[in-house]
Amino acid sequence: MKDYLPETASQTAGPYVHIGLAPDAAGFHIFEKNFGPTLVNSHTPGERIAIEGRVFDGSGTPVRDVLIELWQANADGRYNHPADQQEGKSLDADFRGWGRACSNFDSGVWRFDTIKPGQAVGRDGRLMAPHVNLWIVARGINIGLNTRMYFSDEQEANAKDPVLNLIEWEVRRQTLIARKETRGNETVYHFDIYLQGEKETVFFDV
């Protein structure tokens, strides 16, 4: 008979998640290059946008120690990853395509400064609506949660998106749609994430 090791006990991500994954946000300036929430520089092509929101627990209380990772395609609809071999779409050396943000410890607001992604082709060969991918981790979450954020001003593309259409209840699809806001010269997409409750965000088993 084979001997099996006992299962290791699980543990939540806090309370030191920021020190380990985003030390700069916790006031520890230990890395020369931090993986921050700004994905662009002055040379990055594409429409400049900001994405911001808050994460709420089941009681409707903002979670103030959340860490969120974002990855997305560039303005041409291509990911900065070797697996993305879409023809006719080039990589952008001035766009990282990946970022990490922490919520504000007082307000609970998190934010990314990026560009609006183009449409990428999915694994099944069908064109997806512009979207960003999000991974959420915080105290009380044993395994990081994966979700997507789509754009409210892309209604035609959203209606054809193969992933959104996998969600049977149309009202649940709305939990993945960010609201567009114009603040002076800035375009902001507001996207709140609900971990539990009546407004619970759709999460994916990735």
Side-chain angles (χ1 to χ4, degrees), residues 24-73:
D24 200 50
F28 295 91
H29 309 296
I30 57 178
F31 296 140
E32 182 179 349
K33 292 184 178 180
N34 284 284
F35 299 110
T38 301
L39 284 67
V40 296
N41 61 39
S42 59
H43 304 292
T44 307
E47 178 188 353
R48 292 287 197 281
I49 64 170
I51 299 171
E52 69 175 32
R54 291 190 292 177
V55 176
F56 295 90
D57 65 16
S59 69
T61 303
V63 182
R64 295 181 173 86
D65 64 346
V66 175
L67 182 141
I68 296 181
E69 289 186 356
L70 175 150
W71 65 102
Q72 65 170 89

Side-chain angles (χ1 to χ4, degrees), residues 122-195:
R123 295 179 181 178
D124 62 358
R126 290 188 291 172
L127 198 63
M128 297 182 289
H131 68 278
V132 301
N133 304 283
L134 300 169
W135 181 72
I136 303 104
V137 64
R139 278 183 289 182
I141 300 177
N142 284 325
I143 300 175
L145 301 172
N146 294 278
T147 190
R148 283 186 171 193
M149 188 208 85
Y150 292 83
F151 299 87
S152 60
D153 54 343
E154 295 286 350
Q155 294 181 357
E156 184 176 348
N158 292 343
K160 300 176 182 178
D161 184 83
V163 175
L164 274 177
N165 280 289
L166 287 174
I167 304 170
E168 184 176 0
W169 293 355
E170 291 189 24
V171 66
R172 299 282 289 129
R173 299 175 194 174
Q174 296 304 309
T175 68
L176 303 184
I177 309 297
R179 182 179 72 251
K180 183 178 181 179
E181 300 177 356
T182 302
R183 303 177 188 171
N185 296 324
E186 184 180 51
T187 298
V188 178
Y189 288 90
H190 188 89
F191 185 65
D192 288 331
I193 298 168
Y194 292 85
L195 300 178

Side-chain angles (χ1 to χ4, degrees), residues 47-129:
E47 178 188 353
R48 292 287 197 281
I49 64 170
I51 299 171
E52 69 175 32
R54 291 190 292 177
V55 176
F56 295 90
D57 65 16
S59 69
T61 303
V63 182
R64 295 181 173 86
D65 64 346
V66 175
L67 182 141
I68 296 181
E69 289 186 356
L70 175 150
W71 65 102
Q72 65 170 89
N74 62 21
D76 204 25
R78 180 169 176 174
Y79 284 91
N80 187 8
H81 191 280
D84 189 338
Q85 298 294 321
Q86 297 179 80
E87 296 182 2
K89 297 184 178 181
S90 59
L91 290 174
D92 179 8
D94 292 303
F95 183 64
R96 190 172 69 228
W98 182 87
R100 183 178 283 169
C102 296
S103 58
N104 181 279
F105 295 140
D106 295 320
S107 67
V109 174
W110 52 268
R111 174 184 170 111
F112 289 95
D113 291 298
T114 183
I115 57 169
K116 193 173 184 182
Q119 291 188 260
V121 175
R123 295 179 181 178
D124 62 358
R126 290 188 291 172
L127 198 63
M128 297 182 289

